[in-house]
Tab-separated table of all heavy atoms in Angstrom:
chain	number	residue	atom	x	y	z
A	170	HIS	N	116.109	-22.296	130.639
A	170	HIS	CA	115.183	-23.407	130.905
A	170	HIS	C	114.946	-23.609	132.389
A	170	HIS	O	114.038	-24.335	132.786
A	170	HIS	CB	115.717	-24.710	130.291
A	170	HIS	CG	116.904	-25.281	130.991
A	170	HIS	ND1	118.195	-24.911	130.691
A	170	HIS	CD2	116.998	-26.196	131.994
A	170	HIS	CE1	119.031	-25.570	131.473
A	170	HIS	NE2	118.325	-26.347	132.271
A	171	ASN	N	115.745	-22.963	133.237
A	171	ASN	CA	115.610	-23.154	134.686
A	171	ASN	C	114.674	-22.148	135.345
A	171	ASN	O	114.500	-22.180	136.569
A	171	ASN	CB	116.985	-23.068	135.351
A	171	ASN	CG	117.781	-24.358	135.174
A	171	ASN	OD1	117.209	-25.442	135.163
A	171	ASN	ND2	119.090	-24.230	135.037
A	172	VAL	N	114.097	-21.246	134.577
A	172	VAL	CA	113.158	-20.288	135.161
A	172	VAL	C	111.961	-21.045	135.733
A	172	VAL	O	111.329	-21.851	135.043
A	172	VAL	CB	112.698	-19.266	134.095
A	172	VAL	CG1	111.613	-18.361	134.666
A	172	VAL	CG2	113.880	-18.447	133.595
A	173	GLN	N	111.662	-20.785	136.983
A	173	GLN	CA	110.612	-21.535	137.679
A	173	GLN	C	109.261	-20.849	137.586
A	173	GLN	O	109.155	-19.613	137.635
A	173	GLN	CB	110.994	-21.691	139.162
A	173	GLN	CG	112.288	-22.464	139.395
A	173	GLN	CD	112.101	-23.953	139.217
A	173	GLN	OE1	111.521	-24.630	140.052
A	173	GLN	NE2	112.607	-24.470	138.102
A	174	ARG	N	108.236	-21.656	137.445
A	174	ARG	CA	106.871	-21.132	137.538
A	174	ARG	C	106.692	-20.449	138.898
A	174	ARG	O	107.265	-20.881	139.896
A	174	ARG	CB	105.861	-22.258	137.415
A	174	ARG	CG	105.847	-22.979	136.080
A	174	ARG	CD	105.038	-24.252	136.194
A	174	ARG	NE	104.855	-24.955	134.922
A	174	ARG	CZ	104.307	-26.159	134.822
A	174	ARG	NH1	103.879	-26.784	135.920
A	174	ARG	NH2	104.173	-26.734	133.641
A	202	PRO	N	111.166	-26.087	128.785
A	202	PRO	CA	110.611	-25.519	130.010
A	202	PRO	C	111.142	-24.115	130.275
A	202	PRO	O	111.799	-23.512	129.432
A	202	PRO	CB	111.092	-26.517	131.075
A	202	PRO	CG	112.397	-27.033	130.529
A	202	PRO	CD	112.231	-27.070	129.031
A	232	VAL	N	103.402	-26.264	140.924
A	232	VAL	CA	104.435	-27.211	140.467
A	232	VAL	C	105.496	-26.366	139.753
A	232	VAL	O	105.441	-26.191	138.532
A	232	VAL	CB	103.874	-28.284	139.524
A	232	VAL	CG1	104.947	-29.331	139.214
A	232	VAL	CG2	102.642	-28.948	140.127
A	233	PRO	N	106.476	-25.843	140.480
A	233	PRO	CA	107.380	-24.835	139.931
A	233	PRO	C	108.217	-25.281	138.738
A	233	PRO	O	108.509	-24.480	137.841
A	233	PRO	CB	108.279	-24.487	141.125
A	233	PRO	CG	107.491	-24.889	142.324
A	233	PRO	CD	106.717	-26.088	141.908
A	234	GLY	N	108.652	-26.557	138.728
A	234	GLY	CA	109.532	-26.988	137.649
A	234	GLY	C	109.359	-28.452	137.313
A	234	GLY	O	108.569	-29.165	137.940
A	235	PHE	N	110.127	-28.909	136.316
A	235	PHE	CA	110.002	-30.296	135.867
A	235	PHE	C	110.837	-31.253	136.705
A	235	PHE	O	110.798	-32.459	136.480
A	235	PHE	CB	110.358	-30.422	134.389
A	235	PHE	CG	111.786	-30.077	134.046
A	235	PHE	CD1	112.761	-31.060	134.014
A	235	PHE	CD2	112.142	-28.779	133.758
A	235	PHE	CE1	114.071	-30.753	133.693
A	235	PHE	CE2	113.449	-28.460	133.416
A	235	PHE	CZ	114.421	-29.445	133.385
A	236	ARG	N	111.579	-30.750	137.650
A	236	ARG	CA	112.263	-31.599	138.620
A	236	ARG	C	111.607	-31.404	139.974
A	236	ARG	O	111.289	-30.264	140.344
A	236	ARG	CB	113.756	-31.233	138.708
A	236	ARG	CG	114.528	-31.480	137.416
A	236	ARG	CD	116.022	-31.269	137.652
A	236	ARG	NE	116.792	-31.514	136.445
A	236	ARG	CZ	117.204	-30.565	135.606
A	236	ARG	NH1	116.911	-29.298	135.854
A	236	ARG	NH2	117.911	-30.865	134.533
A	237	PRO	N	111.319	-32.439	140.722
A	237	PRO	CA	111.759	-33.822	140.522
A	237	PRO	C	110.822	-34.676	139.662
A	237	PRO	O	111.143	-35.802	139.353
A	237	PRO	CB	111.761	-34.371	141.946
A	237	PRO	CG	110.641	-33.644	142.617
A	237	PRO	CD	110.660	-32.263	142.040
A	238	SER	N	109.666	-34.128	139.244
A	238	SER	CA	108.689	-34.956	138.540
A	238	SER	C	108.219	-34.272	137.258
A	238	SER	O	107.468	-33.289	137.311
A	238	SER	CB	107.478	-35.245	139.438
A	238	SER	OG	106.452	-35.876	138.699
A	239	VAL	N	108.641	-34.798	136.116
A	239	VAL	CA	108.121	-34.289	134.843
A	239	VAL	C	106.618	-34.535	134.755
A	239	VAL	O	105.861	-33.699	134.257
A	239	VAL	CB	108.853	-34.946	133.655
A	239	VAL	CG1	108.232	-34.502	132.337
A	239	VAL	CG2	110.336	-34.621	133.677
A	240	SER	N	106.183	-35.680	135.268
A	240	SER	CA	104.758	-36.030	135.200
A	240	SER	C	103.896	-34.965	135.869
A	240	SER	O	102.897	-34.500	135.293
A	240	SER	CB	104.518	-37.394	135.860
A	240	SER	OG	105.280	-38.402	135.233
A	241	ALA	N	104.263	-34.568	137.087
A	241	ALA	CA	103.485	-33.560	137.808
A	241	ALA	C	103.537	-32.219	137.087
A	241	ALA	O	102.525	-31.499	136.998
A	241	ALA	CB	104.022	-33.425	139.233
A	242	TRP	N	104.699	-31.874	136.551
A	242	TRP	CA	104.883	-30.615	135.827
A	242	TRP	C	103.986	-30.560	134.587
A	242	TRP	O	103.304	-29.559	134.347
A	242	TRP	CB	106.360	-30.496	135.463
A	242	TRP	CG	106.756	-29.316	134.644
A	242	TRP	CD1	106.942	-28.036	135.071
A	242	TRP	CD2	107.050	-29.323	133.233
A	242	TRP	NE1	107.336	-27.244	134.012
A	242	TRP	CE2	107.416	-28.004	132.882
A	242	TRP	CE3	107.058	-30.317	132.256
A	242	TRP	CZ2	107.777	-27.652	131.577
A	242	TRP	CZ3	107.415	-29.978	130.959
A	242	TRP	CH2	107.768	-28.659	130.630
A	243	VAL	N	103.965	-31.623	133.825
A	243	VAL	CA	103.154	-31.648	132.603
A	243	VAL	C	101.669	-31.685	132.947
A	243	VAL	O	100.852	-31.036	132.281
A	243	VAL	CB	103.520	-32.851	131.718
A	243	VAL	CG1	102.657	-32.868	130.464
A	243	VAL	CG2	104.980	-32.810	131.328
A	267	TYR	N	118.766	-32.639	123.856
A	267	TYR	CA	118.632	-32.219	125.257
A	267	TYR	C	117.382	-32.877	125.840
A	267	TYR	O	116.463	-32.208	126.306
A	267	TYR	CB	118.525	-30.701	125.359
A	267	TYR	CG	119.752	-29.955	124.888
A	267	TYR	CD1	119.647	-28.872	124.032
A	267	TYR	CD2	121.025	-30.336	125.307
A	267	TYR	CE1	120.775	-28.183	123.599
A	267	TYR	CE2	122.158	-29.659	124.877
A	267	TYR	CZ	122.027	-28.585	124.026
A	267	TYR	OH	123.141	-27.916	123.596
A	268	GLY	N	117.363	-34.179	125.799
A	268	GLY	CA	116.165	-34.900	126.195
A	268	GLY	C	115.806	-34.781	127.655
A	268	GLY	O	114.677	-35.080	128.050
A	269	HIS	N	116.778	-34.327	128.473
A	269	HIS	CA	116.461	-34.135	129.890
A	269	HIS	C	115.568	-32.910	130.099
A	269	HIS	O	115.039	-32.714	131.188
A	269	HIS	CB	117.753	-33.948	130.688
A	269	HIS	CG	118.584	-32.789	130.230
A	269	HIS	ND1	119.334	-32.846	129.076
A	269	HIS	CD2	118.772	-31.556	130.760
A	269	HIS	CE1	119.963	-31.682	128.922
A	269	HIS	NE2	119.634	-30.888	129.914
A	270	GLU	N	115.401	-32.084	129.046
A	270	GLU	CA	114.495	-30.945	129.105
A	270	GLU	C	113.222	-31.316	128.341
A	270	GLU	O	113.225	-31.345	127.105
A	270	GLU	CB	115.127	-29.701	128.478
A	270	GLU	CG	116.356	-29.205	129.200
A	270	GLU	CD	116.939	-27.975	128.515
A	270	GLU	OE1	116.226	-27.339	127.705
A	270	GLU	OE2	118.108	-27.663	128.785
A	271	PRO	N	112.136	-31.607	129.020
A	271	PRO	CA	110.924	-32.038	128.315
A	271	PRO	C	110.273	-30.885	127.560
A	271	PRO	O	110.413	-29.720	127.947
A	271	PRO	CB	110.017	-32.524	129.456
A	271	PRO	CG	110.474	-31.729	130.645
A	271	PRO	CD	111.955	-31.565	130.478
Side-chain angles (χ1 to χ4, degrees):
H170 71 273
N171 282 325
V172 174
Q173 299 284 286
R174 296 167 174 172
V232 187
F235 64 92
R236 296 188 179 97
S238 171
V239 175
S240 301
W242 176 78
V243 179
Y267 296 133
H269 58 284
E270 296 179 17

